[in-house]
Structure formats: structure tokens, C-alpha cells
Amino acid sequence: MASIILASASPRRAELLKQIGLSFHVRPADIDETPGTDESAVDYVERLARGKALAVQATEPGATVIGSDTSVVLGGQILGKPQDSHHAMGMLKQLSGTTHQVMTAVAVASANACESRVSVTDVRFRPLSGEEIEAYVATGEPMDKAGGYGIQGRGGIFVEELRGSYSAVVGLPLQETAELLAGAGSPVWETWNSRQESRNE
């Protein structure tokens, strides 16, 4: 089985892959993440996921590479990572008491092809007070996360309802990732089997 590379520096994506027992290396991709003119959020996250996977796969032609990108979208507007604490508070005020979409794309590039999927999850926040927004931003958790919150951390207390993939909101849709890996000839259960064989030797 080809070696697997995660083209992302995100510790959350790495943890999700470890959760499903995958053996992989991390090699972040360096690509331009500027949105295109009139580019939809769905097209944007899919383009970036594919771009990351292909950029790393070009330097590791024998590997299977996973690329991913996540955007928080409110009313068609992409909310990226906060530039500073003031920006983070503004984002959270926008999300307070509303339903937004978390769009996460995953792409798997191998020597033969690059296939991708996009997962869209509806997330509803309860109304947030100014005091708790300030307290949350002061923890520093929002600063490296799309939309200014982490559902797997303290930000989870703001979520009133979720319809879709929890793992995609964290950063990687596991079902779609496993399907793409299998299609690329690297099913996750082969990793399980190889680990078990190593223990038995």
C-alpha cells in the first residue's frame, strides 16, 4: 500500500486520522488561498483541498495524499480565520443566534487521479452574550479556526443544533475521506491489518 501523507498542518485533522487508525505522514502544502472573483464557497473549499493534495503529490509521486479545507459560511459570506481578537468577536456576534454552514472539502491524490468531495453541515448557535464572547476570545481558542470557534473545544457550548457531519466541522469528513482512500487503493482497514501483522511478528 502506498504511503499516506496529510497535506495539512492542522492538528485537528491529524487527530481525526489517528482516530480511525490511519498511519500517515504530515507535509503541509503551500498554496495561494485567495478566493477567486465570484467563486462560491463550495467551489473555493474544493479547489483548495485539491490544490493542497496535488501540490504535495507532485513532490511525492508514489504517495497517496490527503488535502482538505474548511470554510464557515453565513449568508453566502465566507468567514475565515480571525485576524485578531476584535475580528474574532465580530465573527461570533454574527454567528450568535443564527444557523451557518460549515463546508469542508477533502481530496485524495494518487499517481492515477485526484478525487474530491464536499461535506456541508448546518450548525446553529444559541444567542451569545457579549460577556461570554469576550471570555471565549480571551482563551485564544478562536484565533486559528475558521469562523472563530472550535466545536471540539470550548466553542462546543455555543452549538444548539448540528445537522450533518460532526467530524467535518472539526476539520475532516471521515466517511468521505475513507471512501476516497479506498477508491485510491488505500483502504483504512489495510492500515489496521498491517499494524496487527507488525505486532504479531
Side-chain angles (χ1 to χ4, degrees), residues 1 23 189-199 201:
M1 184 172 69
S23 177
W189 55 84
E190 286 195 11
T191 296
W192 303 343
N193 291 339
S194 64
R195 284 185 176 180
Q196 188 62 40
E197 288 168 3
S198 296
R199 292 193 190 98
E201 289 178 356

Side-chain angles (χ1 to χ4, degrees), residues 47-185:
R47 175 173 64 82
L48 263 56
R50 293 178 66 88
K52 292 173 184 178
L54 289 167
V56 174
Q57 209 280 327
T59 66
E60 297 283 349
T64 297
V65 183
I66 301 168
S68 185
D69 193 75
T70 300
S71 283
V72 171
V73 182
L74 178 64
Q77 176 190 4
I78 297 174
L79 303 182
K81 296 177 182 179
Q83 299 169 359
D84 52 36
S85 59
H86 179 75
H87 190 201
M89 285 190 282
M91 284 185 181
L92 291 164
K93 287 175 183 177
Q94 284 183 273
L95 296 174
S96 174
T98 68
T99 297
H100 61 275
Q101 286 72 47
V102 178
M103 300 182 183
T104 298
V106 57
V108 171
S110 62
N112 301 319
C114 179
E115 299 293 336
S116 56
R117 305 271 182 86
V118 179
S119 172
V120 180
T121 302
D122 289 331
V123 180
R124 180 166 183 81
F125 268 24
R126 62 172 174 78
L128 311 179
S129 70
E131 290 78 10
E132 60 188 341
I133 288 175
E134 289 183 13
Y136 179 55
V137 172
T139 69
E141 183 177 280
M143 301 315 297
D144 66 337
K145 297 173 180 63
Y149 76 95
I151 194 171
Q152 76 286 355
R154 296 178 178 91
I157 68 171
F158 302 149
V159 177
E160 189 172 70
E161 184 180 4
L162 181 149
R163 295 190 300 276
S165 169
Y166 173 82
S167 67
V169 179
V170 175
L172 192 68
L174 291 179
Q175 176 187 329
E176 290 84 349
T177 301
E179 289 176 353
L180 291 173
L181 285 170

